[in-house]
């Protein structure tokens, strides 16, 4: 019985740590890059718009982010509709199997 409780405790601890890691991902997976935007599109997902930005460095998404207090995705998408070089800030990971993209938090034209 003690062995079963110990295994259950360890399993719950591991699950808890995985949850904390998932929730805090935006804070430790951010970066900055200069990219060449080649195109954009909008797709409907769960009743809301998800903006995708295609670059020579991969695909990014552009959605509002409570973690970064970003609520201007449509304005940012309008700016990124013009092909060119941009300096972007992003967070997250690209996981093709799960259709997960890095999320752009800021973009400005790069010289």
């Amino acid at each position: 019985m003690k062995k079963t409780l110990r295994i259950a405790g360890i399993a719950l601890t591991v699950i808890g740590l995985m949850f904390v890691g998932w929730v805090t991902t935006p804070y430790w997976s951010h970066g900055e890059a200069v990219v060449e935007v080649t195109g954009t599109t909008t797709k409907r997902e769960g009743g809301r718009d998800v903006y995708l930005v295609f670059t020579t460095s991969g695909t990014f998404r552009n959605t509002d982010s409570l973690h970064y207090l970003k609520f201007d995705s449509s304005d940012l998408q309008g700016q990124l509709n013009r092909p060119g070089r941009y300096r972007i800030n992003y967070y997250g990971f690209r996981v093709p199997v799960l259709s997960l993209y890095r999320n752009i938090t800021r973009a400005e034209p790069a010289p």
Side-chain angles (χ1 to χ4, degrees), residues 22 25 29-30 43 45 52-55 57-61 90-103:
W22 182 259
T25 296
S29 67
H30 61 276
K43 77 177 191 179
E45 219 176 67
L52 295 178
V53 179
F54 305 107
T55 73
S57 303
T59 303
F60 293 84
R61 74 185 166 114
Y90 63 87
Y91 72 89
F93 301 102
R94 174 68 174 119
V95 183
V97 174
L98 301 175
S99 292
L100 295 178
Y101 302 96
R102 296 170 286 180
N103 190 22

Side-chain angles (χ1 to χ4, degrees), residues 6-35:
R6 184 176 183 159
I7 291 172
I10 290 171
L12 286 174
T13 301
V14 168
I15 291 170
L17 289 173
M18 289 173 63
F19 177 75
V20 168
W22 182 259
V23 169
T24 60
T25 296
Y27 299 108
W28 51 268
S29 67
H30 61 276
E32 182 178 310
V34 175
V35 298

